[in-house]
Amino acid sequence: GAVVSQHPSRVICKSGTSVKIECRSLDFQATTMFWYRQFPKQSLMLMATSNEGSKATYEQGVEKDKFLINHASLTLSTLTVTSAHPEDSSFYICSATSRLQAGYGYTFGSGTRLTVV
Amino acid sequence: EDKVVQSPLSLVVHEGDTVTLNCSYEVTNFRSLLWYKQEKKAPTFLFMLTSSGIEKKSGRLSSILDKKELSSILNITATQTGDSAIYLCAVGPRTGGGADGLTFGKGTHLIIQP
C-alpha cells in the first residue's frame, strides 16, 4: 500500500531558529501534499495544500512567511518553520494524495513532534 | 466554513462492550466522509463513505452514512483493549484524488478497560 515517510519524528529547537520537516511518498507520486497541525487534545487543522510544482495554498490564519512549504518533486514536500517560537510547538502531520494513481486516497505520514524551547 | 462535530468526546467502556461513535457535519459541498483511528502518531484509514445507507464493514468495525441527517456512526462490537485510540471523523473529496484537504472533527477518545 501507499506509504508516506515523515522526518524527523521528534525535534527540539531553540526559539528563533528554523526547523525543516520532510515528507516523502515512497511508492507513489504525490501530486498533492497537505500539512496539518494538531495541538494537544485538539483535532488536526489543515495548514496548507501544496501541488507539485506550484506555490502552496495556505488556510486562513496561517502565516505563509512563517511556514514555508516546498513541493518541488512528486515524492517530496518540506515544511520549514522559520524563527520558531514556543507557541509553534505542536504535532505536525503531512498527508499525500495522487491524481495520477487512482485509489490511493489520503495517506498520512507518522508526524513530527516539534518542541520550541 | 465546513464543520465536523463528533460525540462523545471521550468514552470509557469495558472489554467486550459495543460502542457507537457519532459524527455530524455541516459543509457547503459534501463529497465524502472518512473515519480514521489515531493511536500515538498518524491517523490510519478505516472507512470512506460516499453513499447514504450503505454499511461498510471491516471485522468488528462498521460504519454508515446518513446524508439526510448529515451524520455518520462508527460501531465497534466486542471491543478489545487494542481498540483504545482516538477516532477521527473527517469530510473531504469523493475520489481521494482531489486537491482539497480534509476537515476533521475533534475526535472521540475511546478507552477500553480490561
Side-chain angles (χ1 to χ4, degrees):
Chain A
V3 177
V4 172
S5 173
Q6 185 173 343
H7 293 283
S9 58
R10 190 178 292 268
V11 58
I12 301 172
C13 71
K14 288 186 178 178
S15 191
T17 60
S18 295
V19 173
K20 182 186 279 190
I21 302 170
E22 286 192 354
C23 200
R24 292 180 186 273
S25 57
L26 298 185
D27 50 2
F28 70 103
Q29 294 177 318
T31 50
T32 306
M33 290 257 197
F34 307 97
W35 288 94
Y36 294 86
R37 179 167 55 184
Q38 185 178 35
F39 291 106
K41 298 188 179 179
Q42 297 292 320
S43 189
L44 280 75
M45 297 296 294
L46 180 66
M47 297 174 66
T49 301
S50 73
N51 292 301
E52 183 262 340
S54 303
K55 285 186 181 178
T57 303
Y58 289 81
E59 296 298 300
Q60 198 170 10
V62 177
E63 298 174 57
K64 60 179 70 174
D65 294 330
K66 181 168 188 59
F67 298 99
L68 301 179
I69 291 172
N70 184 283
H71 190 174
S73 79
L74 283 170
T75 58
L76 175 64
S77 177
T78 60
L79 167 68
T80 302
V81 183
T82 62
S83 187
H85 291 287
E87 57 265 30
D88 298 324
S89 298
S90 188
F91 190 56
Y92 294 86
I93 305 181
C94 66
S95 172
T97 190
S98 176
R99 278 190 286 269
L100 302 176
Q101 290 145 297
Y104 277 107
Y106 294 93
T107 304
F108 284 85
S110 55
T112 297
R113 173 76 58 195
L114 170 63
T115 304
V116 184
V117 297
Chain B
E1 184 183 322
D2 291 356
K3 196 162 112 177
V4 177
V5 177
Q6 291 185 246
S7 64
L9 291 181
S10 65
L11 183 59
V12 181
V13 299
H14 289 289
E15 215 169 7
D17 288 350
T18 293
V19 297
T20 298
L21 310 183
N22 301 286
C23 177
S24 63
Y25 57 90
E26 290 177 30
V27 298
T28 50
N29 184 24
F30 178 83
R31 289 163 288 189
S32 60
L33 186 145
L34 300 93
W35 284 97
Y36 289 87
K37 177 182 182 182
Q38 185 179 25
E39 295 174 87
K40 290 187 179 173
K41 291 190 176 178
T44 51
F45 174 78
L46 295 176
F47 300 110
M48 178 186 277
L49 305 163
T50 55
S51 301
S52 205
I54 298 174
E55 185 183 52
K56 292 213 171 178
K57 288 198 76 167
S58 177
R60 295 175 294 101
L61 277 67
S62 63
S63 184
I64 195 162
L65 176 67
D66 186 337
K67 283 187 179 179
K68 192 175 170 186
E69 296 295 324
L70 306 182
S71 65
S72 173
I73 59 171
L74 174 68
N75 279 320
I76 309 175
T77 59
T79 52
Q80 302 170 357
T81 54
D83 295 328
S84 296
I86 296 173
Y87 290 84
L88 295 167
C89 172
V91 174
R94 187 195 324 240
T95 62
D100 296 330
L102 299 175
T103 302
F104 282 87
K106 288 189 176 180
T108 293
H109 189 185
L110 177 64
I111 297 173
I112 310 298
Q113 291 181 333

